[in-house]
Amino acid sequence: MLIAALVMMPIAAVVWIAFNPSDNIWPHLLSTTLPRYLRNTLVLMTSVGVLAGAVGTGAAWLIARYRFPLSRWLEWLLLLPLAIPAYVGAYALVDLLEYAGPVQTGLRGLMGWQSARDYWFPEIRSMGAAVIVLSAALYPYIYLLARTAFREQSRATEEVAMSLGAGALGRFFRVGLPLARPAIAAGMAIAMMETVNDFGTVDYFAVQTLTTGIFSVWLESNNAGGAAQLASVVLVLVIFLVSMEKLSRSKTRFFAMSNRYRTIERTPLPVGAGLLATLACLIPFAMGFVLPAGVILNHALANAGLWADPDLLSALWNTVAVGGTAAALTVLAAVFMVYGVRLSGRQLPRMLLPLTTIGYAAPGAVLGVGILIPLAVMDNALADAVEALTGIDIGLILTGSAVALVLAYGVRFFAIAQGAADAAMGRISPSLPMAARSLGRTRGQVLGQIYAPLIRGSVGSALLLVFVDCVKELPATLLLRPFNFDTLATRVHEQASLENLGDASPAAVLVILVGLSAVAMLARANR
């Protein structure tokens, strides 16, 4: 109950503050900035969902059904954009295509142009560029789920469609796509929720969304109630998105008939079609990984002396310490909660368990509002009480340290740890713990001697995944970090915001390397 309360507390706090603000600026927001924030968020979210969905689904279909040049390599290379945060991709794209970048500089030298008035070049910092960058970073969510769904379909359905005269496109749109629809819809929902959560990309491209509005109203206007009201709009938007995805499926069910199931064999493509398929898969991989990784690595090598910068080393230590602490506590809490729910046999804990996953759908900026304001009230009350009793001013313990940041990471990524623990324990036969109990082992000993060795791999994977997400998380970190406390993500954001990508590149390379470790583990698990 305590763990569930901690996880759901920020969401409840946002709703409470939104309805009970100290200074109600809702009418002002409604008549001025809110329509623009909401419109931009909806356009960005929908565009990214459609583009990432098309790219991820198309690539998954080609990889799952056909053999063509480099297809075995591209099957895993298409996952690599997961290692690069979208905001790093945004910084790299602008650095490459801006007026002083190598592309425009090369065009001016080649064509003899003297200034920007002599030629037209698309605006880089725009809504369109934000859609492309976010789609390139988020399509792997759809690709991974859709590839699995396409592979699990039976060869029998393909043969029936072929016998009825359906061509390749007909089989895709009338058989493969409808059967994979739940997986594709789930992937698109994740991509759209990550788009709502994004701050670094939209801030750098000057696209005003609800997330940037939370930062503006809170940090610039110093109005926590207004920030909570904007955060509540984001919550409504996310809940609406998840609800629409579930309602769209209604009572439709998708089953694989085991007695007719035969694995689909990939069909070799002719030379011309195979080259086109290779090119189609290389483009998202190049946009999502090769371009940003290449630009960042080039800057990192050109500024090799920055690797010994004390500020970088401090940011690295802060990232490892806070992310590692958050990952360990989150996974331990998830294992404890899942095991406790299984032991209790009561209905209320079982009902609370799925509710604890709501933090993953809530953007980091929303959690920042819901955590910092209640903790600040508690912190001040605690400091005043200690000073009144002892005469010692202990300062702000909770909000003046990384405690709030650890709590935010735990709430945000509790769903990952809880899902891994629940799945791992669900694979263990109930007869094993029963036998241990019959031999006199306590419940704690059963957890330590029976479950722990058997779920060690899943717990280790959950630790790594939560840690990687903590390293990449930007909005919550910007709002909740103590003064003069930088992580790798905030250092990248701050230096890039100052147009100093060279200083940001070492930290960005470290973030990418951490992300690659998680992608490698994910590829190994899905091999």
Side-chain angles (χ1 to χ4, degrees):
M1 295 288 287
L2 177 61
I3 294 172
L6 282 174
V7 173
M8 293 186 288
M9 179 268 292
I11 309 299
V14 166
V15 176
W16 172 263
I17 297 168
F19 281 96
N20 300 274
S22 57
D23 182 15
N24 185 20
I25 63 167
W26 181 254
H28 172 72
L29 291 173
L30 199 59
S31 61
T32 54
T33 57
L34 181 58
R36 181 171 69 252
Y37 292 155
L38 185 58
R39 181 179 63 251
N40 288 342
T41 301
L42 290 173
V43 170
L44 185 66
M45 184 178 69
T46 305
S47 302
V48 170
V50 171
L51 182 56
V55 171
T57 303
W61 176 260
L62 290 174
I63 292 295
R65 297 303 173 92
Y66 299 104
R67 293 202 305 269
F68 50 89
L70 300 179
S71 60
R72 295 182 66 85
W73 285 91
L74 286 167
E75 180 177 359
W76 309 112
L77 292 178
L78 285 165
L79 292 173
L80 290 183
L82 284 175
I84 300 184
Y87 53 84
V88 173
Y91 306 148
L93 184 68
V94 171
D95 183 76
L96 183 70
L97 299 180
E98 66 178 348
Y99 181 78
V103 172
Q104 291 202 51
T105 301
L107 285 175
R108 289 194 299 272
L110 181 65
M111 306 301 295
W113 295 324
Q114 299 299 317
S115 68
R117 293 189 296 271
D118 297 334
Y119 65 99
W120 176 85
F121 199 84
E123 179 61 40
I124 304 304
R125 302 196 185 198
S126 62
M127 173 75 78
V131 169
I132 292 173
V133 168
L134 287 167
S135 300
L138 299 174
Y139 82 83
Y141 289 110
I142 299 102
Y143 164 75
L144 187 61
L145 295 175
R147 187 189 67 180
T148 302
F150 287 140
R151 281 183 170 173
E152 290 176 350
Q153 294 172 11
S154 174
R155 177 67 180 169
T157 57
E158 288 275 303
E159 292 174 347
V160 170
M162 292 172 66
S163 70
L164 294 174
L169 288 178
R171 295 197 301 274
F172 171 69
F173 285 107
R174 302 181 65 180
V175 178
L177 191 60
L179 289 176
R181 177 184 165 193
I184 295 170
M188 289 178 65
I190 294 173
M192 294 168 79
M193 285 189 289
E194 289 294 329
T195 301
V196 176
N197 176 60
D198 180 80
F199 173 75
T201 304
V202 293
D203 180 61
Y204 198 63
F205 284 144
V207 178
Q208 295 181 325
T209 64
L210 289 168
T211 302
T212 62
I214 292 172
F215 279 81
S216 177
V217 171
W218 192 0
L219 301 182
E220 296 177 15
S221 302
N222 196 29
N223 192 304
Q229 289 170 337
L230 286 177
S232 65
V233 175
V234 177
L235 278 178
V236 170
L237 191 62
V238 169
I239 293 172
F240 174 77
L241 177 65
V242 175
S243 301
M244 286 300 295
E245 189 274 324
K246 291 185 180 297
L247 288 174
S248 67
R249 287 182 278 166
S250 187
K251 296 183 179 179
T252 307
R253 296 293 181 268
F254 300 81
F255 298 104
M257 303 301 291
S258 58
N259 60 332
R260 299 177 184 176
Y261 179 82
R262 286 189 289 123
T263 304
I264 292 178
E265 296 181 3
R266 297 197 295 177
T267 306
L269 287 176
V271 176
L275 292 176
L276 287 176
T278 302
L279 180 62
C281 292
L282 281 175
I283 290 175
F285 165 64
M287 287 294 299
F289 182 79
V290 176
L291 188 153
V295 172
I296 295 299
L297 186 60
N298 179 61
H299 279 284
L301 294 175
N303 297 273
L306 294 175
W307 286 91
D309 187 351
D311 291 338
L312 174 63
L313 299 178
S314 175
L316 175 61
W317 166 250
N318 291 339
T319 302
V320 172
V322 175
T325 302
L329 292 177
T330 302
V331 172
L332 284 174
V335 170
F336 182 87
M337 185 168 188
V338 171
Y339 185 55
V341 168
R342 289 175 176 273
L343 287 179
S344 70
R346 297 178 182 274
Q347 190 65 24
L348 182 58
R350 292 187 180 276
M351 292 174 60
L352 288 176
L353 190 61
L355 292 179
T356 58
T357 62
I358 192 173
Y360 191 73
V366 174
L367 295 179
V369 174
I371 288 175
L372 189 58
I373 295 175
L375 279 188
V377 174
M378 293 171 56
D379 221 357
N380 282 284
L382 178 62
D384 292 342
V386 171
E387 187 174 11
L389 291 173
T390 65
I392 301 173
D393 184 5
I394 61 172
L396 300 178
I397 297 176
L398 302 177
T399 54
S401 65
V403 171
L405 203 52
V406 170
L407 178 58
Y409 290 159
V411 174
R412 177 92 167 86
F413 306 119
F414 188 81
I416 299 174
Q418 186 242 79
D422 196 27
M425 288 188 179
R427 291 192 293 267
I428 298 174
S429 172
S431 61
L432 292 177
M434 289 179 183
R437 291 302 304 278
S438 70
L439 294 172
R441 297 295 188 271
T442 64
R443 291 174 174 178
Q445 289 174 327
V446 169
L447 178 60
Q449 298 177 13
I450 304 298
Y451 280 104
L454 295 175
I455 67 174
R456 182 173 53 193
S458 296
V459 168
S461 299
L463 274 169
L464 179 58
L465 290 175
V466 173
F467 176 73
V468 170
D469 281 336
C470 292
V471 171
K472 296 194 294 184
E473 175 62 28
L474 181 62
T477 310
L478 287 173
L479 286 175
L480 296 173
R481 60 179 175 153
F483 291 111
N484 298 320
F485 186 95
D486 271 335
T487 64
L488 292 175
T490 60
R491 180 174 172 81
V492 172
H493 171 71
E494 288 179 353
Q495 295 297 328
S497 299
L498 297 173
E499 305 296 336
N500 193 356
L501 195 58
D503 285 355
S505 57
V509 169
L510 292 174
V511 172
I512 293 171
L513 289 176
V514 172
L516 282 174
S517 64
V519 173
M521 186 197 68
L522 186 63
R524 181 180 178 183
N526 285 272
R527 186 164 53 191

